[in-house]
Amino acid sequence: MSGQLSFVSGSLAEGTFNTALAEALKQRRHHWRTDDEAVVSERSDVILGEPALRPDIVIQPARGNPVALEIEIDSDPIPDASGRIGLVTKRYGRRLQTAIAVRAPAEVRGWQDHAEARRMLNESRGGARASSWSMR
């Protein structure tokens, strides 16, 4: 996962946030830390038969079902998340039965770069202040 800076109009780009979140999630489980493909973000090569589709984050463990995370900064992630249900991952040929819609607060756009996003997400056990996150 890239550690390069990514800005849109002077603010943190969603893709940069997604990559930092995937890296923070990867640190939560030993098996995810030791498997480079267990948690991937911003990749278009993970869904079978959909080469152009780029889910924000896909958790695809060796054991268990894959999960897609669709993240929007201060907008509705539900349509994208709903669209991931039923798709099949290339890695193990397993169907996505779960998709999580994450609405990140607008304040994350104020984070300076990938390094700050990664630090902020790693410092909090929950990934961010619970009061400012909306997950459905």
Side-chain angles (χ1 to χ4, degrees):
M1 293 179 206
S2 174
Q4 62 186 347
L5 303 181
S6 179
F7 291 85
V8 174
S9 302
S11 62
L12 188 73
E14 183 181 307
T16 301
F17 177 80
N18 295 345
T19 299
L21 180 58
E23 291 169 357
L25 288 170
K26 197 169 181 97
Q27 296 308 308
R28 302 291 191 228
R29 297 192 50 95
H30 171 73
H31 296 297
W32 295 355
R33 282 191 302 271
T34 59
D35 179 353
D36 287 339
E37 297 295 310
V39 180
V40 296
S41 67
E42 297 297 319
R43 288 195 13 201
S44 58
D45 62 345
V46 296
I47 303 298
L48 192 63
E50 298 282 348
L53 190 62
R54 178 179 269 182
D56 292 337
I57 297 174
V58 176
I59 300 171
Q60 47 187 4
R63 294 185 194 98
N65 294 320
V67 175
L69 280 79
E70 287 299 325
I71 298 109
E72 295 293 335
I73 298 175
D74 203 31
S75 64
D76 187 7
I78 293 174
D80 287 345
S82 297
R84 304 304 182 237
I85 301 292
L87 298 176
V88 177
T89 61
K90 278 185 173 182
R91 185 172 193 207
Y92 295 114
R94 294 185 186 135
R95 189 167 308 280
L96 284 164
Q97 297 177 358
T98 304
I100 300 171
V102 179
R103 182 176 183 171
E107 68 193 45
V108 304
R109 288 220 187 265
W111 294 350
Q112 296 301 306
D113 55 27
H114 176 267
E116 182 177 8
R118 187 173 179 181
R119 180 181 59 77
M120 295 291 284
L121 290 164
N122 280 326
E123 282 181 359
S124 173
R125 185 77 173 137
R129 290 191 329 267
S131 62
S132 64
W133 288 80
S134 172
M135 294 176 57
R136 296 190 250 175

